[in-house]
Each structure stands twice: as C-alpha cells, then as structure tokens.
Amino acid sequence: MDTMLSSLDLHKPTSNHVVSCLTPTSSTTTIQSSSTAISSANATLGRHLARRLVQIGITDIFSVPGDFNLTLLDHLIAEPKLNVIGCCNELNAGYAADGYSRSRGVGACVVTFTVGGLSVLNAIAGAYSEDLPLICIVDGPNSNDYGTNRILHHTIGISDFSQELRCFQTVTCFQAVVNHLEDAHELIDTAISTALKESKPVYISISCNLPAIPHPTFSREPVPFSRAPKLTNQMGLEAAVEAAAEFLNKAVKPVLVGGPKLRVAKASDAFVELADASGYVFAAMPSAKGMVPEHHPHFIGTYWGAVSTAFCAEIVESADAYLFAGPIFNDYSSVGYSLLLNKEKAIIVQPERVVIANGPSFGCVLMKDFLNSLAKRLKHNNVAYENYRRIFVPNGTPLKFAPKEPLRVNVMFQHIQQMLSSETVVIAETGDSWFNCQKLKLPEGCRYEFQMQYGSIGWSVGATLGYAQAVHEKRVIACIGDGSFQVTAQDVSTMLRCGQNTIIFLINNGGYTIEVEIHDGPYNVIKNWNYTGLIDAIHNGEGKCWTAKVLCEEELVEAIATATGPKKDSLCFIEVIVHKDDTSKEVLEWGSRVSAANSRPPNPP
C-alpha cells in the first residue's frame, strides 16, 4: 500500500527531462528504472540532495549565497536537471519557493546559517500557514564546531548554535540537523517525505564541511523512496456519510462552500462532483478562490460575510443547511467575527475530520473520500440555485469617464478582467488587491493565488517570481500595491535574469490603503517612488523589459495592448496612478469590522 514519492505529480514540470511527481494514491506505483552505481566523485551528500530534489519534481531552487553554503551550491549547480536561481535576499527566496510550491506542489530554497535562516523564516512561516510543502535548506557550521565553546560569525555571539533550529521548530513540521555523513541519507529522506506527507515546510541544516565528501550511502542513484498513503477509516466514513446525508436530505435549501483546506486535502474535484450530483449551489471562501471552477453554472461567488460577492451571502446565510469543505474561520475570513452562520446548520469537513451540526464528530475520514461517498447519497436539490437566480441582478458598470479623467481602480480591474484566459495566472498582493481581485471572474484554466492567512505584505513579488518560474506556459498577472512593493521590489531583477514575461500592475496610491481603512495614521503614508524609473534602472539594458506609467483609462488601454501584443515576451511593468482614497467598497466595510474586532475592550476580570 506504499506510494512512491518519485511519481508524485503535484503539477507536471516544464522540462521533459525531469522526473514528475504524482498525487499519492492508495495503490503502489511501479518504478521502471533501477538504482545504478555512480562514481565516487558524485557520491556526495550535496549531489544526493540535488538528485532527491529533482526526483520529487523540483527543477528550480531559490538561493542566496553565504560562506557556509557555497560548497553545497557548487554541488547543486553540478546537477544538470536543477537550476539554482540566485535571489536578492533570503526573504524573497522563501517567497519564491512558496510561489513555486503553489504551482509544482513542492518548492525549495537554500540559504546560509542564521543570518540567512532568520531572514527566510518569515516566508517559511507563511508557507506553513498555507499548508505548502517547502524544503528550506540551511548550511550550518563546520561539524567540528558543534559541542565546542567557540563563537562563530553569523551568530548572536554565543557558543550555542541552536538558536536558528529553535526558531524553525515553530514553523516547520520536521527539522533535520545533519552533522554526520552516516545518518545524512536517512535524515534528508525523512525530511523530504515528511514535507510531502504533511504538506508543510521542513528544515534541513547541513554542516558546511559535509556536502563535498563521498560516502558509501550515496554510492548509488537514490532509490525512489515510498510512504504509506493516508487511509480513511471505513466504518467512520460510512457513519459520517450516513449522518451527513440524513441531515442534508432533510434540508429545503442546502448550499456548499469551499475553503482553503481543499488544496491540502486534494479534494477540489471531489467537491465539484458533489455539487454536480446534488444540484446545490456552491461558493468559495476568499482564501479558496481559484480552487473551485468559477465558470460552473452553480457557482455563486465568494462567501465573505458582509463583503461577499453580491447575492452570495444572502443565499449562504439564509440556507437551512450548509456544508463547508476545508474552511478556516479567522478574524479576516469572518470579517471581524461577523459571519451570520449557525453551527447547528453546518457540516464542517476538514482534511481528516467531519463534524455535523455542532454534534457528532468523525475522525480518520479523508475529505476526498467523504465527498465522493456523500455525492452518491444525496437527493438532487436545486432550490438554493433557483432562489439565487430569482434575486440575482448583474453587476453595474462604473460611471462613464470624461476624456483623460484620472483613472479609477474599479475601471482598471474591468480591463484586467478582459485580459484573463486559460493561459493566465493572477497573483494578488495583501491589501486592497485582495478585494479587487476577488471580484475577478476566473475563466476555465485561469489560476489564482494570494496569501490570506498570513497576509505578509511584499509576499507577491517573490511568489510571482517562483510561480512564473514553475509554469512557463502561463503568463502571470500580479496586482501589487505601492506599499507592499517597497518591501520586496529588488527581485524584479531576478525575474529579468530568468527571462520571465510577467505583467505587474503597480497600484500607486501613496500608502498602505488596507491599514488606512482599519486604523489611519501618518505611519500609513509612504515616500513616493518613481516606480517605472526604478524598474528601468534595474533593467539596465539586460533582458526584456517594458514599463509604462498610466494616469487615465486611455493610457491603460494602450499599455495593456502593448503588454499583450508587441511586448508579450517581455516583463511588463505598468504603474497605475490612482487617488489615495480610491478603494473598493468591500475594503471600507471589511476595514471597519476588523477595526471593531481589534479594538474590543478587555473582558472584565
């Protein structure tokens, strides 16, 4: 019942020469190739690690060099199927690995000890919050220095080298500290397999003097290792399906809502099959956008409480039963804990647990198995869909522009909507882009990513780099606010070095708009940059790059036509100048509710 990790096809690599990774199944995958002996010069820890990364589908690893990791980088570069991409800083390298993992199903970065490790830590925490398998590799001190009383550089000046490890223990699901060649093979394999099994980041620390040393445990090509897949408890499944079917079949107007845990449960297809079989309408929580098909006739939009897609919240919250598949209810997704939901009406399906009407709970039940089985037991019911059709009114159109009138954000996103196709990916930065991009209707095949749970400003620059590197056949469209862009702007240079043709819309409104709507103050105003001038300077005549600064709709239309036409093979950076108070109506409502939640007085003692 084992599954071979060498055949994990989380997303197919772009190279025909790379072993792809397949989604684990309950049956054993047969490996055609056999292990072969390799030369002693290649039988090193560094080459073994490189081959393992390639074996699980990684063809690009994001790095920042430092004296501790230089030898390891030599061995990673020597692997012909692995591309080592140098980033401007460790934070962006981690964000790039995050974006890469969202596309390929697993990503990796390599940095140096402590100064690199603690810099990348924030990105690893974000990946942990989003259930992304990510392998963070740090080259540490010489193995002879452990256990001594020596003080090393790149540390805080004490002889205890465990500070970095202790920090990573809170944001990774496994930590491997490789100080001896004898157990390196086992530790590396355990870390990688744990990342894939748990869909979380792992930490691998390797002493800097070990990567180049041959060892008998690396003398053959690594045999594809295997792990037992997670299995459903059959009795628990039958009981959960029986209870859920009875509950839903009694309802008059039940609905379905998809949540972000659909990704880690690999249950998006099963969720849609349930909707097809039942006839129920379905919505997506904001952090699940892109995980369910928006072209489906029964899709009614984003369920986000008071800032939901028009008519969506009314249908969900008036239902007499709702099934949430993989939800995360935090203060942001619940709009300051203001959702009008009743636990007694809800079935909550998590990746391995089902809770029905705030009552019976069934563990060891995989979401995919539950949804597939439930689809066979539900009576067809399209009452909620008919109710939705009765109340639905198409979106209005923005007010007409006067010629050369300053551009408004809602008009800008109308034009971005027209750019979307099966060949595009949308990446939305933390901030008002969350709300504007939520209103985009994704055509079939168009992907969408943003980081809602962790919500780290600046995430999108590195994530765009990583995602675009993983999927060459699609064009990434990134919507980034000026405040966020200032945090991580440097790695546009890495996009140029990699020959990417991303389109970046830089929304310049002079500050941290989302923070303004939560709690305003002078700290939300930032120094304005000449953003197109900055990108032109970064370009410096090397690579394909085109920039434009637009102030009105006519200029925006012309810029988009150029970016999608003559400059379609170039990285295109379009700076859009808008008024500082030009925000979506949703962020106004959301900000006031989150502010109210943040400012609740202490409970009485």
Side-chain angles (χ1 to χ4, degrees):
M1 297 296 288
D2 286 349
T3 300
M4 298 301 182
L5 292 182
S6 69
S7 45
L8 284 170
D9 187 26
L10 306 167
H11 282 291
K12 292 183 180 179
T14 55
S15 170
N16 293 328
H17 304 291
V18 180
V19 180
S20 63
C21 295
L22 296 178
T23 303
T25 64
S26 58
S27 59
T28 301
T29 302
T30 302
I31 303 301
Q32 302 297 329
S33 59
S34 60
S35 177
T36 57
I38 59 178
S39 67
S40 60
N42 291 329
T44 63
L45 186 159
R47 291 302 297 276
H48 172 79
L49 176 60
R51 285 189 291 268
R52 272 295 191 225
L53 294 176
V54 169
Q55 197 178 60
I56 62 169
I58 292 174
T59 57
D60 304 271
I61 184 170
F62 302 91
S63 71
V64 177
D67 62 325
F68 284 121
N69 71 5
L70 299 178
T71 301
L72 177 60
L73 289 175
D74 286 339
H75 284 73
L76 297 179
I77 290 171
E79 169 53 54
K81 297 178 181 178
L82 189 63
N83 183 27
V84 179
I85 298 175
C87 296
C88 296
N89 59 55
E90 291 87 359
L91 179 61
N92 276 341
Y95 286 153
D98 172 312
Y100 193 92
S101 179
R102 289 166 185 266
S103 175
R104 287 287 181 90
V106 62
C109 58
V110 55
V111 299
T112 196
F113 183 59
T114 305
V115 290
L118 298 189
S119 291
V120 80
L121 190 69
N122 188 53
I124 303 306
Y128 190 97
S129 76
E130 300 276 322
D131 297 307
L132 299 174
L134 194 156
I135 300 162
C136 181
I137 303 160
V138 180
D139 252 24
N142 186 294
S143 62
N144 298 302
D145 289 328
Y146 284 89
T148 68
N149 200 35
R150 294 170 180 164
I151 295 177
L152 297 181
H153 68 290
H154 289 344
T155 70
I156 59 172
I158 61 176
S159 57
D160 180 1
F161 304 150
S162 66
Q163 179 198 25
E164 179 185 84
L165 170 63
R166 285 182 277 117
C167 291
F168 273 95
Q169 284 174 336
T170 63
V171 295
T172 57
C173 65
F174 185 82
Q175 306 83 38
V177 179
V178 180
N179 293 332
H180 306 282
L181 288 171
E182 288 75 14
D183 60 1
H185 193 293
E186 178 184 359
L187 286 172
I188 289 171
D189 283 5
T190 302
I192 292 173
S193 61
T194 303
L196 295 171
K197 178 182 178 182
E198 301 298 329
S199 197
K200 295 283 189 183
V202 294
Y203 165 84
I204 301 176
S205 173
I206 300 173
S207 292
C208 63
N209 58 326
L210 300 185
I213 303 175
H215 191 270
T217 55
F218 310 126
S219 62
R220 301 182 71 82
E221 286 288 342
V223 175
F225 50 91
S226 62
R227 60 177 171 83
K230 295 179 180 179
L231 298 176
T232 287
N233 178 303
Q234 199 60 35
M235 291 181 65
L237 173 64
E238 292 172 2
V241 170
E242 178 72 28
E246 181 182 3
F247 180 79
L248 291 171
N249 284 333
K250 290 190 300 186
V252 176
K253 45 185 179 179
V255 300
L256 306 174
V257 182
K261 296 287 185 179
L262 283 171
R263 185 203 301 270
V264 67
K266 298 179 175 62
S268 292
D269 289 345
F271 180 82
V272 177
E273 289 168 9
L274 176 62
D276 287 337
S278 64
Y280 297 179
V281 294
F282 66 92
M285 297 184 75
S287 48
K289 186 176 178 67
M291 297 183 193
V292 297
E294 299 189 3
H295 62 279
H296 193 286
H298 281 205
F299 177 73
I300 61 172
T302 298
Y303 175 63
W304 202 354
V307 295
S308 298
T309 303
F311 312 107
C312 178
E314 292 81 357
I315 294 299
V316 172
E317 294 178 347
S318 67
D320 53 348
Y322 19 74
L323 183 151
F324 281 80
I328 295 178
F329 295 109
N330 60 25
D331 52 338
Y332 273 16
S333 67
S334 67
V335 198
Y337 314 111
S338 64
L339 299 183
L340 300 179
L341 298 176
N342 185 339
K343 289 183 178 180
E344 308 301 325
K345 299 180 181 180
I347 295 177
I348 306 297
V349 187
Q350 293 296 2
E352 298 180 32
R353 177 167 294 274
V354 178
V355 180
I356 298 176
N358 204 29
S361 180
F362 304 90
C364 298
V365 175
L366 298 184
M367 183 189 295
K368 185 192 301 185
D369 295 338
F370 173 78
L371 298 179
N372 283 334
S373 297
L374 182 61
K376 302 170 185 175
R377 298 288 303 275
L378 293 184
K379 299 174 183 175
H380 195 272
N381 184 334
N382 64 351
V383 171
Y385 173 64
E386 293 299 331
N387 288 345
Y388 174 75
R389 290 190 63 190
R390 272 189 285 271
I391 68 171
F392 177 76
V393 177
N395 288 334
T397 57
L399 297 174
K400 290 291 184 181
F401 266 101
K404 300 296 182 178
E405 181 181 339
L407 186 63
R408 294 194 303 269
V409 170
N410 54 18
V411 173
M412 169 190 165
F413 276 91
Q414 272 198 324
H415 288 284
I416 292 176
Q417 175 70 69
Q418 295 168 13
M419 299 171 67
L420 303 186
S421 71
S422 61
E423 304 302 317
T424 56
V425 178
V426 177
I427 292 186
E429 174 57 69
T430 301
D432 198 23
S433 290
W434 275 2
F435 300 89
N436 287 302
C437 288
Q438 278 291 331
K439 291 183 282 188
L440 295 173
K441 190 69 176 291
L442 303 181
E444 185 174 4
C446 180
R447 299 181 188 172
Y448 181 93
E449 295 292 346
F450 79 132
Q451 188 196 63
M452 186 174 184
Q453 172 60 39
Y454 201 57
S456 183
I457 64 169
W459 161 85
S460 65
V461 176
T464 295
L465 164 65
Y467 204 105
Q469 191 62 25
V471 185
H472 297 284
E473 68 274 16
K474 291 181 182 284
R475 195 170 192 189
V476 176
I477 300 171
C479 299
I480 309 175
D482 51 345
S484 296
F485 187 73
Q486 288 194 8
V487 179
T488 50
Q490 308 97 308
D491 269 286
V492 171
S493 68
T494 311
M495 299 178 196
L496 288 169
R497 289 173 61 198
C498 294
Q500 296 178 1
N501 68 340
T502 293
I503 301 174
I504 296 175
F505 286 96
L506 188 286
I507 305 167
N508 184 352
N509 57 10
Y512 297 115
T513 301
I514 193 168
E515 313 293 3
V516 168
E517 302 309 331
I518 296 175
H519 183 95
D520 199 7
Y523 31 74
N524 290 325
V525 179
I526 62 175
K527 172 70 175 66
N528 191 37
W529 292 359
N530 178 359
Y531 292 98
T532 53
L534 172 67
I535 300 305
D536 289 336
I538 291 173
H539 174 214
N540 199 27
E542 299 176 4
K544 295 181 178 181
C545 181
W546 178 78
T547 64
K549 183 176 297 193
V550 304
L551 293 90
C552 61
E553 184 177 18
E554 293 90 340
E555 293 175 353
L556 177 66
V557 170
E558 182 180 348
I560 291 174
T562 301
T564 56
K567 298 297 181 180
K568 64 181 180 181
D569 295 327
S570 300
L571 187 144
C572 296
F573 183 91
I574 303 173
E575 179 184 355
V576 183
I577 310 296
V578 296
H579 193 275
K580 66 181 182 66
D581 294 323
D582 186 358
T583 65
S584 64
K585 70 179 185 64
E586 289 80 9
V587 79
L588 298 175
E589 171 80 15
W590 180 89
S592 62
R593 290 177 181 268
V594 170
S595 176
N598 288 349
S599 58
R600 288 168 295 162
N603 290 328

